[in-house]
Amino acid sequence: MALIVQKFGGTSVGSVERIRNVARRVAKWRAAGHGLVVVPSAMAGETNRLIALAKEIQPHPDPRELDVVAATGEQVTIGLLSMALLELGVKAKSYSGWQVKIVTNSAYNKARIIAIDDAAIRRDLAEGQVVVVAGFQGVDEAGNVTTLGRGGSDTSAVALAAALKADECHIFTDVDGVYTTDPRIVPEARRLRTITFEEMLEMAGAGSKVLQIRSVEFAGKYRVPTRVLSSLTDPLITVAEEAQAGTLITFEDDPHMAMEKAVISGVAFNRDEAKITVHDVPDRPGIAYAILGPIADANIDVDVIVQNVGHDGMTDMTFTVHRSDYARAVKLLKGQVQPHIKCRDITGDERIAKVSIVGMGMRSHAGIAAQMFRTLAEEGINIQMISTSEIKITVVIEEKYTELAVRVLHKAFELDQA
Ligand code: ASP
Ligand code: MG
């Protein structure tokens, strides 16, 4: 008998019929003798609806009160799901985040989990209950309701799995796993049977949106094997079949991992960034800080950064920011930074895309970067910026070539071949 935490996303609990299906799926696992903690999101669209209501009253809602409102979506689904289980004759009991308690810091709207009191859950599990816990929400030390940021119920589930030392965390969603790239762009994209946490983090950072990035960090840190799988299959497929379905996110040393040995695991892309260049700044200590310090102080995240080799005591610095921060970043640089550092000009481009290849195999294979650059060159795609990590190579290119670049890279690294 294993202890399993199962998370169901908004689509999976999007209607009464779907909630009944979730209950059937959970009941099936329970009947096989496993201990189950189930974490539902709010019904699809509900969190958006609640936030919109709040904004009708206050265009910039008070953060504490916004969490009071936003957290209600999950309170509905835990109750409904418990009822659906009871209707099937399965003992079940629901808990809100503050009832558990899932203790967080006080950063409303984006709180971080500090501790989980698992006493009540363990007691119920020992009695054979299915324990249904609200995702996305917690409570701070002063007793205020908090939420974990959009998509936060992934993190709730993984954190519960970590606290309970669960054998596996199942994330049921509307896709059937993690793919080598977005199948809407490359129909030949394949579902990965396994991927490492490191790769998954790089894929998420590079634009793949399967899981909330923080949940992956959490799962990696606490070594929670996490499986992404579809809730849209027949809820009564066998437990044995479902236990192998989807994509298992795991560790390099997991024996399951050996089965997949491709050098590259996936191609990710992101069209949400914009590029800013600061031209002809004096090439001396402190200049990167003089440019990026004020950007950081304004809470603008910087992603790819490139500084050129100096020439005649001058250099250029280029970096990317989220597109929604682009105008603010340029204004800040022109207003506050340019007068001090006396650069020649500040220019930018919003029509860029970031395309990345990710894979553990890169560490032991030379020539991967060269192969990537050759593939892009053969299509006449100009590379504007390059950044690398141990297991990722990212290029910034003109946005209109995104799909082409993803397609040719997917093919060049044979990701279409099982
Ligand atoms: N219901 C929350 C949201 O829509 C949390 C989640 O679905 O993970 O962001
Ligand atoms: Mg979600």
Side-chain angles (χ1 to χ4, degrees):
M1 170 183 145
L3 175 59
I4 299 168
V5 175
Q6 298 189 324
K7 182 257 170 178
F8 291 88
T11 315
S12 315
V13 293
S15 67
V16 166
E17 199 35 50
R18 289 203 171 155
I19 290 174
R20 285 204 183 99
N21 274 338
V22 169
R24 288 185 190 112
R25 202 177 289 278
V26 172
K28 170 186 78 184
W29 281 85
R30 182 73 200 100
H34 299 299
L36 270 310
V37 174
V38 185
V39 182
S41 294
M43 294 171 85
E46 180 62 8
T47 308
N48 288 343
R49 188 185 74 87
L50 293 167
I51 293 172
L53 275 178
K55 287 188 174 161
E56 270 187 55
I57 306 260
Q58 265 195 316
H60 299 287
D62 178 81
R64 179 184 186 279
E65 303 312 326
L66 182 60
D67 278 354
V68 169
V69 174
T72 60
E74 276 73 10
Q75 186 159 339
V76 172
T77 49
I78 54 170
L80 293 177
L81 180 55
S82 299
M83 289 177 205
L85 284 161
L86 292 169
E87 279 298 293
L88 294 176
V90 177
K91 288 194 282 181
K93 198 166 163 187
S94 70
Y95 289 87
S96 67
W98 59 268
Q99 286 176 309
V100 168
K101 298 176 170 179
I102 297 180
V103 182
T104 70
N105 64 13
S106 305
Y108 297 118
N109 317 158
K110 49 172 189 295
R112 286 183 178 257
I113 297 175
I114 298 169
I116 295 180
D117 177 358
D118 59 6
I121 298 179
R122 285 195 187 278
R123 195 185 53 230
D124 289 347
L125 285 170
E127 286 172 9
Q129 305 259 13
V130 171
V131 185
V132 184
V133 179
F136 180 53
Q137 54 178 263
V139 61
D140 73 1
E141 264 146 7
N144 300 297
V145 172
T146 55
T147 68
L148 309 181
R150 298 310 305 272
S153 43
D154 291 341
T155 301
S156 308
V158 171
L160 278 161
L164 294 163
K165 301 197 171 45
D167 296 283
E168 222 172 81
C169 182
H170 293 170
I171 307 278
F172 283 93
T173 177
D174 49 3
V175 295
D176 66 352
V178 179
Y179 277 71
T180 49
T181 195
D182 187 339
R184 284 169 300 190
I185 291 193
V186 184
E188 296 80 24
R190 279 184 312 111
R191 175 170 60 84
L192 295 161
R193 280 149 50 90
T194 53
I195 186 169
T196 65
F197 284 103
E198 292 94 328
E199 289 170 319
M200 193 64 200
L201 268 181
E202 294 282 20
M203 294 280 278
S208 158
K209 292 191 181 70
V210 180
L211 289 180
Q212 196 197 34
I213 198 162
R214 232 198 286 157
S215 69
V216 186
E217 285 165 3
F218 225 100
K221 184 163 167 205
Y222 294 99
R223 295 186 69 89
V224 181
T226 301
R227 189 178 291 278
V228 176
L229 64 184
S230 170
S231 68
L232 304 176
T233 55
D234 174 359
L236 297 183
I237 63 170
T238 65
V239 164
E241 196 182 332
E242 195 148 65
Q244 300 296 323
T247 301
L248 178 66
I249 311 170
T250 185
F251 320 96
E252 226 182 333
D253 51 18
D254 185 330
H256 292 104
M257 217 42 234
M259 298 190 308
E260 230 145 345
K261 56 201 171 308
V263 179
I264 299 301
S265 294
V267 182
F269 60 93
N270 177 340
R271 289 183 268 217
D272 297 339
E273 291 183 18
K275 181 180 85 167
I276 298 175
T277 302
V278 182
H279 299 266
D280 282 354
V281 291
D283 190 10
R284 58 169 163 76
I287 210 67
Y289 178 62
I291 295 170
L292 296 175
I295 295 279
D297 291 342
N299 258 322
I300 298 173
D301 286 333
V302 171
D303 188 16
V304 184
I305 306 173
V306 172
Q307 190 192 315
N308 270 344
V309 176
H311 48 90
D312 310 323
M314 297 298 218
T315 186
D316 298 335
M317 182 163 204
T318 303
F319 55 94
T320 66
V321 297
H322 201 273
R323 239 179 246 187
S324 60
D325 289 327
Y326 172 69
R328 199 156 62 93
V330 171
K331 189 160 166 240
L332 188 142
L333 288 170
K334 290 200 164 162
Q336 293 179 31
V337 176
Q338 193 164 18
H340 295 296
I341 61 168
K342 305 197 170 36
C343 59
R344 179 170 53 80
D345 200 5
I346 293 167
T347 59
D349 186 354
E350 287 186 86
R351 291 173 316 272
I352 57 149
K354 218 172 72 171
V355 176
S356 310
I357 57 174
V358 175
M360 301 297 273
M362 238 179 251
R363 289 185 308 197
S364 47
H365 284 74
I368 300 297
Q371 190 180 349
M372 179 183 197
F373 304 154
R374 185 179 66 232
T375 305
L376 296 172
E378 279 166 6
E379 298 297 329
I381 300 172
N382 186 37
I383 300 171
Q384 303 178 4
M385 300 168 83
I386 300 169
S387 88
T388 62
S389 82
E390 214 190 351
I391 60 164
K392 179 176 74 174
I393 304 168
T394 296
V395 296
V396 171
I397 60 172
E398 209 179 319
E399 183 179 10
K400 69 178 182 199
Y401 295 122
T402 313
E403 304 196 351
L404 176 62
V406 170
R407 250 186 308 193
V408 294
L409 290 170
H410 194 269
K411 186 150 205 292
F413 288 100
E414 300 181 345
L415 289 171
D416 46 354
Q417 281 159 44

